[in-house]
Amino acid sequence: MVRAGIVGGTGYTGVELLRILVLHPQVEVSVVTSRADAGSRVDQLYPSLRGYCDLQFSPPELKYLQGCDVVFFATPNGTAMLMAEALLALGVKVIDLSADFRIKDPAEWEKWYGMQHASPGLIDEAVYGLPELNRELIKQARLIACPGCYPTAVQLGFLPLLEAGMVDTNGLVADVKSGVSGAGRKAEIASLMSEAGESFKAYAVAGHRHLPEIKQGLARVAGDEVGLTFVPHLTPMIRGIHATLYARLNSRGKDLQALFEQRYREQRFVDVLPAGSHADTRNVRGSNRCQIAVHQPQGGDTVVVLSVIDNLVKGASGQAVQNMNLMFGLAEAAGLETVALYP
Amino acid sequence: MVRAGIVGGTGYTGVELLRILVLHPQVEVSVVTSRADAGSRVDQLYPSLRGYCDLQFSPPELKYLQGCDVVFFATPNGTAMLMAEALLALGVKVIDLSADFRIKDPAEWEKWYGMQHASPGLIDEAVYGLPELNRELIKQARLIACPGCYPTAVQLGFLPLLEAGMVDTNGLVADVKSGVSGAGRKAEIASLMSEAGESFKAYAVAGHRHLPEIKQGLARVAGDEVGLTFVPHLTPMIRGIHATLYARLNSRGKDLQALFEQRYREQRFVDVLPAGSHADTRNVRGSNRCQIAVHQPQGGDTVVVLSVIDNLVKGASGQAVQNMNLMFGLAEAAGLETVALYP
Amino acid sequence: MVRAGIVGGTGYTGVELLRILVLHPQVEVSVVTSRADAGSRVDQLYPSLRGYCDLQFSPPELKYLQGCDVVFFATPNGTAMLMAEALLALGVKVIDLSADFRIKDPAEWEKWYGMQHASPGLIDEAVYGLPELNRELIKQARLIACPGCYPTAVQLGFLPLLEAGMVDTNGLVADVKSGVSGAGRKAEIASLMSEAGESFKAYAVAGHRHLPEIKQGLARVAGDEVGLTFVPHLTPMIRGIHATLYARLNSRGKDLQALFEQRYREQRFVDVLPAGSHADTRNVRGSNRCQIAVHQPQGGDTVVVLSVIDNLVKGASGQAVQNMNLMFGLAEAAGLETVALYP
Amino acid sequence: MVRAGIVGGTGYTGVELLRILVLHPQVEVSVVTSRADAGSRVDQLYPSLRGYCDLQFSPPELKYLQGCDVVFFATPNGTAMLMAEALLALGVKVIDLSADFRIKDPAEWEKWYGMQHASPGLIDEAVYGLPELNRELIKQARLIACPGCYPTAVQLGFLPLLEAGMVDTNGLVADVKSGVSGAGRKAEIASLMSEAGESFKAYAVAGHRHLPEIKQGLARVAGDEVGLTFVPHLTPMIRGIHATLYARLNSRGKDLQALFEQRYREQRFVDVLPAGSHADTRNVRGSNRCQIAVHQPQGGDTVVVLSVIDNLVKGASGQAVQNMNLMFGLAEAAGLETVALYP
């Protein structure tokens, strides 16, 4: 059994890790930390876990985590970078769901995240945890930087086109819509149901923190910098991300459907829908799957890719567990065999 | 492996049966019928099932079902009663999620359901599939009448009080709120999101079909007829039932919390929340659990019970699988070990 | 023109007052206060008001309010009682949307609201602003205590029955469901869309602050104390309250429909629906109307009343304006002629 | 008083016309037709109108409409074209909210709408009812083709850029999100709350009927054909459209904010938000306003325009009334002075 610890167990990615891990056949959750709720039972805060988790929250201190084989950081940005080195030194593997190790250039990271990086020496070692791109590296990794939710949906949608060099990389557009759980379990007026319900809006059009992460990922695949306009939106639902991606084809006559099917044939958690389909976030709700549909409207030179995930699963905690499975030699889908909750 | 068939696989209880059964370790779904969609793939209609179900819909005919060990009817009322006898004769067990075999008095049934009962001879044999009440009978049964969604939430909430004879059974009130999936996957204007969204209403106050079913169940436990006012409401969410139950205590000083905890201690799928709690439908969403909280406001003589279920799971398909497990000697929770999808 | 001031303009009842008053033909909003947002434009916080309100928020100080004819308090409990006396002394009428002057017994108020009352001498003078009950008193009043949202829906539903002495007043049940805007514009986790969306729950079953207010109101009408069980619930929508009321009839054969129609015939903002109807919150969304339906299920001795309002309009700001109209001799419906926003 | 008739009064644009017109100070609604509901009261179907509309539905026949000054068609496509000529001959003005007269090329219309045009001779006369573009023509018109909901939001967003010739018209992208009321009041499974709620999807990516309408409108302004990729999406809310528009600037250094403010300075129902703002559909819910924000992310060469409307008001019935006001020499905003319903 893999002994897993979760730092920051009171947020949505934390409780989602618990939802998955308490039923994972090869994992035992041995510690869950929370500064604010230390000492109280986990299932008091989250009654959905009654009968599945008998733990109390521990303070987020090293001594509680040192017996773990792996520690997940489901924390705000800026926490994992303070503790990762010490854990690694103890032989504990680290899977960070926050942004601390996603950006390879520390200066860039500091610009977007507004703080000094506390552990720049680890950034290079950190493997970007997108298994569909980095599976072999992940298997060997000690430290995983899990992709952000938007970056997961956007990169999986653009990947086949960029790898095949089939689109103009200067004018990419990613128009992405997220459910409100992406904002986390934080007491903010903008996330109130009275504010976010029954309404739709874009936000951070001037520049969202996931932009440099997406551009870094796409550039690596394209072999060069890309020009990307990324506009995130808030949609009045709890879970789900729908990315609508636009690119100009640089040649005609290619079979885009075949390209995507080919690229993802062996990928357990990426499902290319039949030609003519539309992806719908409900069909991946609660599951670790990305569903993708590819279109070429009116046979023109613009390709439109629809890519959907559950932001808390494939966009966060599910993908983190997928990474853990790979790191520990388990079946990649262990603990992740679920059918989306429809309706 | 239990070979299971599903008649009426295109409605919400049908697809919910599939969601559960395709991952059930001891079940193989061998046939799913649909009159309208016969010949097309199940996962074309329900992309959430891609990779988990390779079947095509079959016509709802006996010849497709005769190889099954058990057949679930996820059909409108009036269908199961036409096919049950023939299936039983072939040695196939039948679990009916519709109302055909729930009411013991055929005349009463015909009054509420507006049609003649086609198989009144089977009504006596049918076991009412509420495991928390009838577990031993279910184990021996060939034919199960699964409780309705409202009746499940209401009966589980009232049961301990009636068994203990602690309340006046003449003035029971059940104020129950259901998500819109309870209306099924039918093209009706009242169920449109533009109609049902952002709004709340009662319906069928004059008399709902679940009323005689609830009264029959409560009377059996109370040993006498009960006086019940049952008002169902539609609440703007997809899944979930919240029953708020009111009764007058006929004596003071009893420990209601202990009564409920005692009654359900051994019941895997009924969870009595700690004193002072409020049940929340989100904490059972997608799970087969009923969560119950019991209150005695201001120490007065009115007891208030809060009872929540997911109408499609414990209120329908999950409970049906729980019955199947009992009928086939499997672990009662097989295939039903899930944590509610929160948030 | 009536010069109106609003203290606490940044909450939902404050912005709702603005929505109504900026289009009121006989009112000029001359000042809106906010401690936190003083100095910034109102329409910067609320872009829906662009072009309708050119004001900046003022600090909540007397000097800004003294030129008003009337001041509305759309503040948390405990604020109006600090300023009302000084305003009245200046000849400014006061309409308090908070709870400060609703409860006639200061000790009772202090018990439920957890603070000392700063102006107990004014409580007697304050008129409870339910026009359907107190119209003539309101016309003469200097100080109005606007009813709470739950109390408005519950009292209007019970009133005809209690006035006619037709029900047993010892076993009243009010099962009431509210949209989330009732919790106000406060950054609280429980009101996040990820928490309150797609879920239904009761809360404060042990005792809600509106309970003494409702009991006081019903007792005055009944001529004696009433026994009431009041259970509030949170329903996943933004606006609307649906009260489902239960009472035992103490005699048979009365025409309840006629009773209600008769009682409210002259009441512009209470609409008794035709026999057999179900009230639906969407039909009063954004309007100052209460719609009521009355049922006697199966001709039994329990009467069920369905009473719906928009909690921010008839349950708060609309009713406040209705009071103002009466106090200033304007048409009772001035500024309140709107059709509910359906769908 | 303008005597107005509404053909097709039972759909969402019909009841929205009623919501606006029953309070319009210079209009009397004299007839509302419905084939299916002829003979029953309008306020029985729509209880929100009780007290505001005493009419019964009439059959959709000429004799009921001939006394009108203007007739609105709130009908499915293909109805207005059958009756418009006869009404015009009687001196009745016609405002068509359906698509019958929007497309100037009958062959193009027939291709997208799948039927033969019954009145091609009238197409040329019909004025496209976008007041911000065609105000003077509208004032003289007998027959108005009201723009579709998507075309309104998209055209108002692109207009200033195209008129100024500032963008490459070959690679326009319109990623547009609509609430579910855009699908109308039709009993369709895809519009059920259980299907459309808590989910997000694109649809009709291969080609939506509003595409030729938008392209026709943009081409007229640009002076040449435009290349447009238009992807409509369904978002889980009832009202509102949010268009996110992308275009490549063909020159740098222009003040886009000033361009938009200048263009719409005199337009009562288009509100350009301050620089840096994000438009939010809730701020126009129930109002006839279009709010627009313009961005140039990271100072690059892509302009992003956010344009929001209420699909049933500025996207349909409100705009229709705005047209009527112009046609009859009334104040353009008569009957349309409302503040959006927030929250």
Side-chain angles (χ1 to χ4, degrees):
Chain A
M1 296 292 274
V2 175
R3 287 161 303 167
I6 299 173
V7 179
T10 62
Y12 291 141
T13 55
V15 66
E16 185 73 355
L17 278 169
L18 282 165
R19 185 178 73 87
I20 297 168
L21 291 176
V22 297
L23 294 174
H24 192 298
Q26 289 129 329
V27 173
E28 179 198 5
V29 179
S30 52
V31 57
V32 185
T33 80
S34 163
R35 194 176 305 277
D37 290 277
S40 64
R41 284 180 62 95
V42 171
D43 65 2
Q44 186 178 349
L45 189 61
Y46 294 123
S48 57
L49 290 167
R50 284 170 58 86
Y52 291 100
C53 181
D54 290 331
L55 297 170
Q56 296 183 348
F57 289 109
S58 304
E61 295 164 20
L62 209 57
K63 62 181 172 190
Y64 298 101
L65 298 166
Q66 59 191 5
C68 296
D69 298 310
V70 62
V71 167
F72 294 88
F73 282 88
T75 44
N77 302 314
T79 299
M81 67 184 182
L82 299 174
M83 299 177 71
E85 193 145 10
L87 286 166
L88 292 175
L90 290 165
V92 181
K93 296 183 180 179
V94 171
I95 300 178
D96 179 20
L97 284 77
S98 83
D100 288 8
F101 298 103
R102 291 178 192 159
I103 306 289
K104 289 300 176 191
D105 176 352
E108 182 80 359
W109 189 88
E110 293 176 355
K111 183 183 113 189
W112 285 92
Y113 289 90
M115 53 181 128
Q116 206 183 338
H117 203 291
S119 195
L122 277 179
I123 295 179
D124 268 353
E125 178 181 349
V127 173
Y128 190 67
L130 193 62
E132 292 73 17
L133 196 62
N134 290 332
R135 183 169 288 107
E136 295 312 313
L137 290 172
I138 292 166
K139 288 180 182 172
Q140 312 304 324
R142 295 192 308 160
L143 171 59
I144 295 288
C146 277
C149 50
Y150 287 125
T152 297
V154 174
Q155 289 177 87
L156 291 175
F158 273 134
L159 226 59
L161 295 167
L162 295 188
E163 287 175 349
M166 287 177 60
V167 294
D168 171 6
T169 59
N170 282 315
L172 305 177
V173 170
D175 187 291
V176 196
K177 302 86 177 172
S178 174
V180 297
S181 63
R185 192 167 166 275
K186 280 172 295 188
E188 290 176 344
I189 283 185
S191 302
L192 298 180
M193 182 160 175
S194 296
E195 301 288 314
E198 281 293 303
S199 196
F200 189 95
K201 67 170 178 182
Y203 67 102
V205 178
H208 184 282
R209 286 170 170 183
H210 285 175
L211 176 64
E213 180 184 344
I214 299 172
K215 290 183 74 168
Q216 170 184 281
L218 297 183
R220 222 169 48 183
V221 173
D224 199 358
E225 287 232 337
V226 302
L228 170 71
T229 302
F230 165 54
V231 177
H233 302 75
L234 204 60
T235 185
M237 62 189 190
I238 297 175
R239 284 172 180 249
I241 282 182
H242 184 293
T244 313
L245 310 176
Y246 302 86
R248 288 282 191 102
L249 293 164
N250 51 25
S251 66
R252 298 293 189 92
K254 297 297 172 51
D255 184 341
L256 298 175
Q257 180 71 22
L259 175 77
F260 275 74
E261 288 182 0
Q262 183 67 28
R263 175 59 179 85
Y264 290 122
R265 182 149 298 152
E266 303 301 321
Q267 304 300 325
R268 180 66 181 71
F269 290 114
V270 181
D271 178 24
V272 179
L273 297 171
S277 300
H278 297 94
D280 196 329
T281 64
R282 75 180 183 207
N283 292 326
V284 298
R285 182 165 48 211
S287 94
N288 195 48
R289 190 135 70 167
C290 175
Q291 286 191 328
I292 292 179
V294 56
H295 289 261
Q296 195 174 349
Q298 288 96 48
D301 62 357
T302 298
V303 54
V304 177
V305 181
L306 316 173
S307 166
V308 298
I309 59 171
D310 182 322
N311 54 303
L312 294 178
V313 193
K314 184 61 178 167
S317 304
Q319 186 149 264
V321 173
Q322 188 181 356
N323 275 281
M324 181 203 72
N325 288 339
L326 291 168
M327 293 164 86
F328 286 87
L330 310 176
E332 189 168 340
L336 297 169
E337 289 286 8
T338 50
V339 177
L341 195 70
Y342 161 85
Chain B
M1 296 293 275
V2 175
R3 287 161 301 165
I6 299 173
V7 179
T10 63
Y12 292 141
T13 56
V15 65
E16 186 72 355
L17 277 169
L18 282 165
R19 185 177 73 88
I20 297 168
L21 292 176
V22 297
L23 294 175
H24 192 297
Q26 289 129 329
V27 172
E28 179 198 6
V29 180
S30 52
V31 56
V32 185
T33 80
S34 163
R35 194 176 304 277
D37 290 277
S40 65
R41 283 179 64 94
V42 171
D43 66 0
Q44 185 178 349
L45 189 61
Y46 295 123
S48 57
L49 290 167
R50 285 170 57 87
Y52 292 99
C53 180
D54 290 331
L55 296 169
Q56 296 183 348
F57 289 109
S58 304
E61 293 164 21
L62 209 57
K63 63 180 172 192
Y64 298 101
L65 298 165
Q66 60 192 3
C68 296
D69 298 309
V70 61
V71 167
F72 294 88
F73 281 87
T75 43
N77 302 315
T79 299
M81 66 184 184
L82 300 174
M83 299 177 71
E85 193 145 11
L87 286 165
L88 292 174
L90 290 165
V92 181
K93 296 182 180 181
V94 171
I95 299 177
D96 179 21
L97 283 78
S98 83
D100 288 8
F101 298 103
R102 291 178 192 160
I103 306 289
K104 289 299 176 190
D105 176 351
E108 183 80 358
W109 189 88
E110 292 176 356
K111 183 183 113 189
W112 286 92
Y113 289 91
M115 53 183 130
Q116 206 184 338
H117 202 291
S119 195
L122 276 179
I123 296 179
D124 267 352
E125 178 180 351
V127 173
Y128 190 67
L130 194 62
E132 290 74 16
L133 197 61
N134 290 332
R135 182 168 290 105
E136 295 311 314
L137 290 172
I138 292 165
K139 288 181 181 172
Q140 312 304 325
R142 296 192 307 161
L143 170 60
I144 296 287
C146 276
C149 50
Y150 287 125
T152 297
V154 173
Q155 290 178 86
L156 290 176
F158 272 134
L159 224 59
L161 295 168
L162 295 188
E163 288 175 348
M166 287 176 62
V167 294
D168 171 6
T169 58
N170 282 316
L172 305 176
V173 170
D175 187 291
V176 196
K177 302 85 177 172
S178 174
V180 296
S181 62
R185 192 168 167 276
K186 282 173 293 191
E188 290 175 345
I189 283 184
S191 302
L192 297 181
M193 181 160 176
S194 295
E195 302 288 314
E198 281 292 303
S199 197
F200 189 94
K201 67 169 179 184
Y203 67 102
V205 178
H208 184 282
R209 287 171 170 181
H210 285 175
L211 176 65
E213 180 185 343
I214 300 172
K215 290 184 74 170
Q216 170 184 281
L218 296 182
R220 222 168 47 182
V221 173
D224 200 358
E225 286 232 339
V226 301
L228 170 70
T229 302
F230 165 54
V231 177
H233 302 74
L234 203 61
T235 186
M237 61 189 189
I238 297 175
R239 285 172 180 249
I241 281 183
H242 184 293
T244 313
L245 309 176
Y246 302 86
R248 288 283 191 103
L249 293 164
N250 50 25
S251 67
R252 296 294 187 92
K254 299 294 172 53
D255 185 340
L256 298 175
Q257 180 71 22
L259 174 77
F260 275 74
E261 288 183 1
Q262 184 67 29
R263 173 59 178 86
Y264 290 123
R265 182 150 296 153
E266 304 300 321
Q267 305 300 325
R268 180 67 181 72
F269 291 114
V270 181
D271 177 24
V272 179
L273 297 172
S277 299
H278 296 95
D280 196 329
T281 63
R282 74 179 185 208
N283 291 327
V284 297
R285 183 166 45 212
S287 93
N288 194 49
R289 190 135 70 168
C290 174
Q291 286 191 328
I292 293 181
V294 56
H295 289 259
Q296 196 175 348
Q298 288 96 50
D301 62 356
T302 298
V303 54
V304 178
V305 181
L306 316 174
S307 167
V308 299
I309 59 170
D310 182 322
N311 55 303
L312 294 178
V313 193
K314 184 61 177 165
S317 305
Q319 187 150 263
V321 172
Q322 188 182 354
N323 275 282
M324 180 203 73
N325 288 339
L326 291 168
M327 294 164 86
F328 286 87
L330 309 176
E332 188 168 340
L336 296 169
E337 289 286 7
T338 50
V339 176
L341 195 70
Y342 160 85
Chain C
M1 297 292 274
V2 175
R3 287 159 303 166
I6 300 173
V7 179
T10 62
Y12 291 141
T13 55
V15 67
E16 186 72 356
L17 277 170
L18 282 165
R19 186 178 73 88
I20 295 168
L21 292 176
V22 297
L23 294 174
H24 192 297
Q26 288 130 327
V27 173
E28 179 197 6
V29 179
S30 52
V31 57
V32 185
T33 80
S34 164
R35 195 176 305 277
D37 290 277
S40 65
R41 283 181 63 95
V42 172
D43 65 0
Q44 186 178 348
L45 189 61
Y46 295 123
S48 57
L49 290 166
R50 285 168 58 86
Y52 291 100
C53 180
D54 290 332
L55 297 169
Q56 296 183 350
F57 289 109
S58 304
E61 295 165 20
L62 209 58
K63 63 180 172 191
Y64 298 102
L65 298 166
Q66 59 191 4
C68 295
D69 299 310
V70 62
V71 166
F72 294 88
F73 281 87
T75 44
N77 302 315
T79 299
M81 66 184 183
L82 300 174
M83 299 177 72
E85 192 144 12
L87 285 166
L88 293 174
L90 290 165
V92 181
K93 295 181 180 178
V94 171
I95 299 177
D96 179 20
L97 284 77
S98 84
D100 288 8
F101 299 103
R102 291 179 191 159
I103 306 290
K104 289 300 176 190
D105 176 353
E108 182 80 358
W109 189 88
E110 292 176 356
K111 184 184 110 189
W112 286 92
Y113 288 90
M115 53 183 129
Q116 204 182 341
H117 203 291
S119 196
L122 277 178
I123 295 179
D124 268 353
E125 179 181 349
V127 174
Y128 190 66
L130 194 62
E132 291 74 16
L133 197 62
N134 289 333
R135 183 168 289 107
E136 295 311 313
L137 290 171
I138 291 165
K139 287 180 181 172
Q140 312 303 324
R142 294 192 309 160
L143 171 59
I144 296 287
C146 277
C149 49
Y150 287 125
T152 297
V154 173
Q155 290 178 85
L156 290 176
F158 272 134
L159 225 59
L161 294 168
L162 295 188
E163 287 175 348
M166 287 175 60
V167 294
D168 171 5
T169 58
N170 283 315
L172 305 177
V173 170
D175 188 291
V176 196
K177 303 86 179 173
S178 175
V180 296
S181 62
R185 191 167 166 275
K186 281 173 294 188
E188 290 175 345
I189 283 183
S191 302
L192 297 181
M193 182 162 176
S194 296
E195 301 289 314
E198 282 292 304
S199 197
F200 190 95
K201 66 170 178 183
Y203 68 102
V205 178
H208 184 281
R209 287 170 169 182
H210 285 175
L211 176 64
E213 180 185 342
I214 300 173
K215 290 183 73 169
Q216 170 184 283
L218 296 182
R220 222 169 48 182
V221 173
D224 199 359
E225 287 232 338
V226 302
L228 170 71
T229 302
F230 165 53
V231 177
H233 301 75
L234 204 60
T235 185
M237 61 189 189
I238 297 175
R239 284 173 180 248
I241 281 183
H242 185 293
T244 313
L245 309 176
Y246 302 85
R248 288 282 190 104
L249 292 164
N250 50 26
S251 68
R252 295 295 188 93
K254 297 294 172 53
D255 184 340
L256 298 174
Q257 180 71 22
L259 174 76
F260 275 73
E261 288 182 0
Q262 183 66 27
R263 174 59 178 86
Y264 290 123
R265 182 149 299 153
E266 303 300 321
Q267 304 299 325
R268 180 68 181 70
F269 291 114
V270 181
D271 177 24
V272 178
L273 296 172
S277 300
H278 296 95
D280 195 329
T281 64
R282 73 179 185 207
N283 292 327
V284 298
R285 182 165 48 209
S287 94
N288 194 49
R289 191 138 66 170
C290 174
Q291 287 191 328
I292 292 180
V294 55
H295 289 260
Q296 196 174 347
Q298 287 96 48
D301 63 357
T302 298
V303 54
V304 177
V305 181
L306 315 173
S307 166
V308 298
I309 59 170
D310 182 322
N311 55 304
L312 294 178
V313 193
K314 184 62 178 168
S317 304
Q319 186 148 265
V321 172
Q322 188 182 355
N323 276 281
M324 180 203 72
N325 288 339
L326 291 169
M327 294 164 87
F328 287 87
L330 309 177
E332 189 167 341
L336 296 169
E337 290 285 8
T338 50
V339 177
L341 195 69
Y342 161 85
Chain D
M1 296 293 275
V2 175
R3 286 161 302 166
I6 300 173
V7 179
T10 62
Y12 291 141
T13 55
V15 67
E16 186 72 355
L17 278 169
L18 282 165
R19 185 178 73 88
I20 297 169
L21 292 176
V22 297
L23 294 173
H24 192 298
Q26 289 129 328
V27 172
E28 181 198 3
V29 179
S30 51
V31 57
V32 185
T33 79
S34 163
R35 193 175 306 275
D37 290 278
S40 64
R41 283 180 64 95
V42 171
D43 65 0
Q44 186 178 348
L45 189 61
Y46 294 123
S48 57
L49 290 166
R50 285 169 58 86
Y52 292 100
C53 180
D54 290 331
L55 297 170
Q56 295 183 350
F57 288 110
S58 304
E61 294 163 22
L62 208 58
K63 63 181 172 191
Y64 298 101
L65 299 166
Q66 58 192 6
C68 296
D69 298 310
V70 62
V71 167
F72 294 88
F73 282 86
T75 43
N77 302 314
T79 298
M81 67 183 183
L82 300 175
M83 298 177 73
E85 192 145 10
L87 286 166
L88 293 175
L90 290 165
V92 181
K93 295 183 181 180
V94 171
I95 299 178
D96 179 21
L97 283 77
S98 84
D100 288 7
F101 298 104
R102 292 178 191 158
I103 305 289
K104 289 299 176 190
D105 176 351
E108 182 80 358
W109 189 88
E110 292 175 356
K111 183 182 112 188
W112 286 92
Y113 288 91
M115 52 182 130
Q116 205 182 340
H117 203 292
S119 195
L122 277 178
I123 296 178
D124 267 352
E125 179 182 350
V127 173
Y128 190 67
L130 194 61
E132 291 74 16
L133 197 62
N134 291 332
R135 182 168 289 106
E136 295 311 313
L137 290 171
I138 292 167
K139 288 180 181 172
Q140 312 304 325
R142 295 192 309 161
L143 171 60
I144 296 287
C146 277
C149 50
Y150 287 124
T152 297
V154 174
Q155 289 177 87
L156 290 176
F158 272 134
L159 224 59
L161 295 167
L162 295 188
E163 287 176 348
M166 288 176 62
V167 293
D168 172 5
T169 59
N170 282 316
L172 304 176
V173 170
D175 187 290
V176 195
K177 303 85 177 173
S178 174
V180 296
S181 62
R185 192 167 166 275
K186 281 173 294 189
E188 290 175 346
I189 283 184
S191 301
L192 297 180
M193 182 161 175
S194 296
E195 301 288 313
E198 281 293 304
S199 196
F200 189 95
K201 67 170 178 182
Y203 67 101
V205 178
H208 184 281
R209 286 171 171 184
H210 285 175
L211 176 64
E213 180 185 343
I214 299 172
K215 291 183 73 169
Q216 171 184 282
L218 297 182
R220 220 167 51 180
V221 173
D224 199 359
E225 287 232 338
V226 302
L228 170 71
T229 302
F230 165 54
V231 177
H233 302 74
L234 204 61
T235 186
M237 62 188 188
I238 297 175
R239 285 173 180 249
I241 282 183
H242 184 293
T244 314
L245 310 176
Y246 302 86
R248 288 282 190 103
L249 293 164
N250 49 26
S251 66
R252 296 294 188 92
K254 298 295 173 53
D255 184 341
L256 297 174
Q257 180 70 22
L259 175 76
F260 275 74
E261 288 183 0
Q262 184 66 29
R263 175 59 178 87
Y264 289 123
R265 182 151 296 152
E266 303 299 323
Q267 305 299 326
R268 179 67 181 71
F269 291 113
V270 181
D271 178 24
V272 179
L273 297 171
S277 301
H278 296 95
D280 196 328
T281 63
R282 74 180 184 206
N283 292 326
V284 298
R285 182 166 47 211
S287 94
N288 194 49
R289 191 136 68 169
C290 175
Q291 286 191 328
I292 292 180
V294 56
H295 289 260
Q296 196 174 349
Q298 288 96 48
D301 62 357
T302 298
V303 54
V304 177
V305 181
L306 316 174
S307 167
V308 299
I309 59 170
D310 182 322
N311 55 303
L312 295 177
V313 194
K314 184 61 178 165
S317 304
Q319 186 150 265
V321 172
Q322 188 182 354
N323 275 281
M324 180 204 72
N325 288 340
L326 291 168
M327 294 165 86
F328 286 87
L330 309 176
E332 188 168 341
L336 297 169
E337 290 285 7
T338 51
V339 176
L341 195 71
Y342 160 85

